[in-house]
Amino acid sequence: MSAKILDGVALGKTIRAEVAAEVARLAGNGRKPGLAAVLVGEDPASAVYVRSKGKATEEAGMHSETLRHLATISEEDLLAIVDRLNADPQIHGILVQLPLPKHIDSDKVLRRIDPAKDVDGFHPVNVGKLVTGDQSAFRPATPYGVQQMLIRSGIETKGANAVILGRSNIVGKPMANLLIQQGPGGDATVTVCHSRTRDLPAVTRGADILVAAIGKAEFVTADMVRPGAVVIDVGINRVDDASHPKGYRLVGDVAFAEVAEKASWITPVPGGVGPMTIAMLLQNTLQAWRQIESH
Ligand code: NDP
């Protein structure tokens, strides 16, 4: 393997320690940042995410609340919960774990969150702020984590050709919006690809920085990567594996072994982008607290 590993576990730990130090410095007299997570239904993956977010929040010295509700909760009741959290002075960040049950309009719920507490950065107000380069925007945690990995590993984005595979509102689009902003971790020339892109390998081979976020196991193969490219793998996919105790293992959107022979830097799955996401969520909660307190 020739590529250097971008270690999201170590970097995520560093960022979490920085956030915790900042909380310890600024908190006092009962004042500290608070994050509320709302979990609807029994989805096991969502339950795991919410549990680890709660644990990380407490470890950072923040107030953490997890509100669990049955999948049968009505949209009206869920909106009322969001309203209560919006008004709660102990809570500075609110996240509603997706996916929500089908009878609930997710957009409506996400738009009900006070933009000042929208630490996921999915509310249109924060999306607009991100696009226009407003520093008070909450940057969606996963692409924000990718950007931090690049900055903190000394990978130059200025003038680089960045190709993003995937155009979701959670990863692909905010990733593009971060990389085209002026300043550190930005100033890239960005191309966004999706399922309608013509001759995808030709486009990805033009990338100095390739971000894969499509949710297809080991989709990006070595022939799609330029020698020396930086390859960031956001994908998390389960593939059956009888030799594994759980009967499956996790792989990314990148065929790691072959691409690692060609890339200059690469993120592993697990242990790459995933741990950065929680770290950036804590960073966003600290940002929300500061912004709310300074008003
Ligand atoms: P979505 O399913 O919302 O979006 C997938 C995108 O990939 C779409 O834009 C789709 O195109 C595009 N796509 C799908 N197939 C192809 C193809 N064959 N060629 C080109 N483009 C294609 O996924 P998310 O953005 O939510 O997530 C992507 C991956 O990242 C998933 O594996 C998810 O689990 C993971 N993830 C990881 C996180 C982390 O913390 N590390 C956080 C969030 C997600 P089109 O729009 O045309 O349909």
Side-chain angles (χ1 to χ4, degrees):
M1 189 177 94
S2 61
K4 283 183 272 186
I5 296 288
L6 287 160
D7 182 349
V9 176
L11 207 47
K13 211 168 150 190
T14 302
I15 293 172
R16 283 160 55 173
E18 287 170 9
V19 171
E22 201 55 6
V23 171
R25 192 175 73 82
L26 297 172
N29 299 328
R31 293 167 43 253
K32 58 177 167 176
L35 176 66
V38 182
L39 176 63
V40 178
E42 306 291 319
D43 181 55
S46 294
V48 171
Y49 289 142
V50 167
R51 225 180 0 257
S52 45
K53 283 169 187 172
K55 189 164 163 270
T57 308
E58 279 167 15
E59 281 169 9
M62 299 182 181
H63 170 67
S64 162
E65 273 180 37
T66 304
L67 294 91
R68 293 184 175 80
H69 293 278
L70 295 175
T72 49
I73 189 173
S74 69
E75 184 179 282
E76 202 188 344
D77 286 350
L78 187 56
L79 290 171
I81 288 164
V82 172
D83 288 342
R84 269 211 307 282
L85 294 170
N86 283 341
D88 186 339
Q90 270 199 302
I91 297 298
H92 308 91
I94 302 169
L95 55 94
V96 176
Q97 184 68 38
L98 300 176
L100 290 172
K102 289 209 168 40
H103 67 276
I104 295 175
D105 179 348
S106 303
D107 279 345
K108 196 169 172 186
V109 175
L110 295 181
R111 281 165 202 219
R112 192 70 159 246
I113 297 172
D114 180 347
K117 297 187 176 185
D118 168 42
V119 287
D120 266 335
F122 298 153
H123 191 289
V125 165
N126 282 308
V127 177
K129 283 184 174 181
L130 179 61
V131 173
T132 54
D134 183 326
Q135 290 306 310
S136 72
F138 293 110
R139 299 154 182 86
T142 299
Y144 190 14
V146 170
Q147 188 186 43
Q148 283 298 309
M149 274 186 143
L150 297 171
I151 294 172
R152 289 169 182 248
S153 306
I155 294 166
E156 184 60 271
T157 54
K158 185 167 60 183
N161 286 330
V163 175
I164 300 161
L165 278 179
R167 57 174 165 183
S168 72
N169 289 334
I170 294 174
V171 189
K173 281 184 204 160
M175 186 78 255
N177 283 325
L178 285 169
L179 289 169
I180 58 170
Q181 294 304 322
Q182 292 177 351
D187 290 318
T189 305
V190 178
T191 306
V192 181
C193 302
H194 44 77
S195 65
R196 303 284 184 267
T197 299
R198 210 184 316 135
D199 197 358
L200 194 63
V203 182
T204 58
R205 276 195 292 270
D208 303 311
I209 299 170
L210 179 60
V211 181
I214 62 175
K216 294 231 160 24
E218 301 178 325
F219 180 89
V220 176
T221 45
D223 59 308
M224 296 170 72
V225 176
R226 161 193 287 194
V230 175
V231 179
I232 309 288
D233 191 352
V234 180
I236 302 173
N237 310 288
R238 279 184 183 192
V239 294
D240 293 339
D241 184 348
S243 70
H244 201 276
K246 287 182 178 159
Y248 68 86
R249 65 195 157 86
L250 294 181
V251 299
D253 290 345
V254 174
F256 182 85
E258 60 181 84
V259 172
E261 293 298 329
K262 223 169 164 186
S264 59
W265 290 93
I266 192 165
T267 60
V269 176
V273 176
M276 295 297 290
T277 299
I278 290 187
M280 301 327 294
L281 182 69
L282 299 180
Q283 178 75 56
N284 281 350
T285 306
L286 175 61
Q287 180 187 331
W289 182 54
R290 283 180 146 152
Q291 289 176 182
I292 290 170
E293 293 257 309
S294 70
H295 277 151

